[in-house]
Amino acid sequence: MAAEIHSRPQSSRPVLLSKIEGHQDAVTTALLIPKEDGVITASEDRTIRVWLKRDSGQYWPSIYHTMASPCSAMAYHHDSRRVFVGQDDGAVMEFHVSEDFNKMNFIKTYPAHQNRVSAIIFSLATEWMVSTGHDKCVSWMCTRSGDLLGRHFFTSWASCLQYDFDTQYAFVGDYSGQITLLKLEQNTCSVITTLKGHEGSIACLWWDPIQRLLFSGASDNSIIMWDIGGRKGRTLLLQGHHDRVQSLCYLQLTRQLVSCSSDGGIAVWNMDVSREEAPQWLESDSCQKCEQPFFWNIKQMWDTKTLGLRQHHCRKCGQAVCGKCSSKRSSYPVMGFEFQVRMCDSCYDSIKEEDRTSLATFHEGKHNISHMSMDVARGLMVTCGTDRVVKKRK
């Protein structure tokens, strides 16, 4: 489905333009063809298809190619019209699409992984094909020779990938909830740092090379913005989805982040505001408001002849508090909390009504979304998922 995201989506909602149906299984990737009224899709039904809009207004496949294994990931480079399709068996196949998008020629197969391919990126400048897979590794291969240049292993499935083309840095998210920043060289790589903040597996990443911001979405239903550039170590938390965050796209021109979740939710976050960093949670043996002991504080419970209380945390100040001292809930969008979250009484009282004004808009995609891609120049979006339907919005 193609949707249009306007420069100020706070006042508009994505409009469904069309549905593309025909796949027999979940659609893993759908990519808009720049400057063309077409979409490339890859599916678990082992097919890759190029859909072009006909005079009737319907999309029909101009290319229908069946692979040896279910298609799990795809990358398309429009200037060279090269398509890279990752498969469930670990192989990546390269094709070249004709200028009229009516023919696709096989180029070569890359033995990139031993298990399902989860993400692919192609760099024309270096002629590298970088990919991640469920064999717990990232690999990079030479697209001229087809040779493996290097491979780096993780402790968990590598689930998603972003790449900085100028510096050859790769960001790899994995199922442990960790993001690893690697510097890729011709035949080796070095680990620059690891980013830890999510409480669930990393499902998607987006890298903005202009502002040097990394966005990550995870199965803990949250998004984290990592400031890799200017303010080292600064992170912003965004919570507004009810399910796993599956896909991200940052619109640099309008400072907006578009996110999609597996329950069909589409959120547009206003990042052109001064946001507050969520505090680190403090630990204490007793409530930092009323000083009543928590249930593990045996000594104070014995001394005061009281039962221990359960520990909670105020989302605004991070203090360890008991339930009685944090009985109120409030949204606090400037800190990324679009839902109502636990607040200690003093923090709740400090929030003005205007502080609760949402800094995001939420829309219903009306299907399970596993992947989303955008054509920012034209304001178009396509989403796809397990319901086998591709939706185009504007």
Side-chain angles (χ1 to χ4, degrees):
M1 159 178 161
E4 181 175 320
I5 304 296
H6 296 272
S7 61
R8 280 291 174 266
Q10 281 78 2
S11 60
S12 64
R13 65 189 313 125
V15 177
L16 178 63
L17 298 180
S18 55
K19 292 182 182 180
I20 299 174
E21 300 178 84
H23 280 289
Q24 303 304 307
D25 207 336
V27 183
T28 51
T29 313
L31 302 174
L32 287 156
I33 302 173
K35 302 174 185 177
E36 297 285 340
D37 211 339
V39 179
I40 306 175
T41 60
S43 169
E44 298 280 1
D45 67 8
R46 300 190 298 119
T47 66
I48 174 172
R49 311 185 194 196
V50 178
W51 307 80
L52 298 179
K53 193 174 183 179
R54 305 304 184 186
D55 293 339
S56 64
Q58 299 296 311
Y59 284 84
W60 292 96
S62 61
I63 297 172
Y64 183 113
H65 184 85
T66 302
M67 312 285 280
S69 181
C71 305
S72 55
M74 181 172 61
Y76 170 63
H77 187 265
H78 183 63
D79 290 343
S80 61
R81 296 194 305 282
R82 293 161 81 174
V83 179
F84 298 83
V85 184
Q87 300 175 84
D88 199 55
D89 62 7
V92 176
M93 296 184 73
E94 180 185 352
F95 299 90
H96 181 264
V97 182
S98 64
E99 195 170 350
D100 61 3
F101 295 97
N102 282 307
K103 188 177 180 182
M104 187 168 72
N105 294 316
F106 168 74
I107 304 299
K108 63 170 67 79
T109 299
Y110 301 86
H113 297 276
Q114 300 298 314
N115 208 325
R116 184 179 176 89
V117 180
S118 55
I120 304 169
I121 285 176
F122 169 63
S123 170
L124 183 64
T126 57
E127 284 284 350
W128 286 2
M129 191 271 299
V130 188
S131 59
T132 54
H134 287 184
D135 54 358
K136 304 180 181 179
C137 82
V138 57
S139 68
W140 54 108
M141 305 189 71
C142 176
T143 53
R144 291 193 185 97
S145 65
D147 294 338
L148 176 69
L149 299 174
R151 190 173 270 158
H152 179 83
F153 285 89
F154 307 93
T155 58
S156 301
W157 284 357
S159 52
C160 48
L161 170 71
Q162 284 287 279
Y163 183 74
D164 187 87
F165 293 91
D166 292 332
T167 62
Q168 294 170 208
Y169 284 133
F171 299 89
V172 181
D174 65 39
Y175 269 69
S176 75
Q178 180 174 287
I179 302 165
T180 304
L181 172 56
L182 298 166
K183 168 67 173 177
L184 304 185
E185 307 286 356
Q186 184 68 26
N187 296 110
T188 185
C189 72
S190 53
V191 177
I192 304 301
T193 189
T194 55
L195 305 174
K196 299 178 182 178
H198 284 288
E199 296 178 0
S201 58
I202 310 298
C204 53
L205 294 171
W206 183 273
W207 170 244
D208 174 49
I210 307 299
Q211 289 186 273
R212 303 194 69 76
L213 300 174
L214 179 71
F215 297 89
S216 57
S219 62
D220 60 8
N221 307 350
S222 69
I223 300 163
I224 296 179
M225 186 201 84
W226 311 83
D227 193 341
I228 305 297
R231 288 164 284 189
K232 299 284 175 61
R234 181 171 180 255
T235 60
L236 293 177
L237 177 67
L238 302 174
Q239 291 187 331
H241 285 288
H242 296 278
D243 210 334
R244 177 187 178 94
V245 181
Q246 299 273 60
S247 200
L248 297 166
C249 180
Y250 180 63
L251 311 181
Q252 211 280 329
L253 186 64
T254 57
R255 303 292 199 274
Q256 291 167 327
L257 176 71
V258 182
S259 59
C260 297
S261 65
S262 56
D263 65 356
I266 302 173
V268 183
W269 307 81
N270 180 8
M271 303 303 295
D272 196 23
V273 292
S274 179
R275 289 182 176 269
E276 294 179 20
E277 195 168 354
Q280 293 290 320
W281 284 4
L282 304 176
E283 296 301 325
S284 176
D285 289 331
S286 57
C287 176
Q288 294 180 298
K289 295 296 183 181
C290 69
E291 300 184 352
Q292 287 292 303
F294 293 131
F295 62 82
W296 59 82
N297 190 347
I298 307 297
K299 185 179 185 304
Q300 188 178 346
M301 286 165 53
W302 178 264
D303 291 345
T304 59
K305 301 295 188 291
T306 57
L307 288 173
L309 304 174
R310 184 182 173 190
Q311 176 183 264
H312 300 281
H313 286 92
C314 172
R315 300 309 193 266
K316 187 173 185 292
C317 68
Q319 285 191 318
V321 290
C322 68
K324 186 178 178 182
C325 294
S326 58
S327 60
K328 296 176 181 176
R329 305 287 186 276
S330 175
S331 60
Y332 195 49
V334 74
M335 201 174 274
F337 299 118
E338 293 288 337
F339 298 144
Q340 290 197 347
V341 293
R342 182 181 295 273
M343 299 270 182
C344 68
D345 292 350
S346 56
C347 281
Y348 181 86
D349 293 339
S350 71
I351 297 176
K352 303 185 178 85
E353 195 56 42
E354 55 264 31
D355 295 334
R356 297 186 174 92
T357 302
S358 178
L359 295 175
T361 58
F362 299 92
H363 312 280
E364 180 52 60
K366 296 185 179 178
H367 73 151
N368 170 296
I369 297 174
S370 59
H371 183 267
M372 169 265 295
S373 67
M374 296 187 66
D375 184 331
V376 177
R378 293 187 290 173
L380 295 173
M381 169 198 285
V382 286
T383 58
C384 62
T386 56
D387 64 353
R388 311 174 187 179
V389 179
V390 178
K391 295 185 177 182
K392 185 180 177 188
R393 296 184 174 91
K394 188 172 186 182

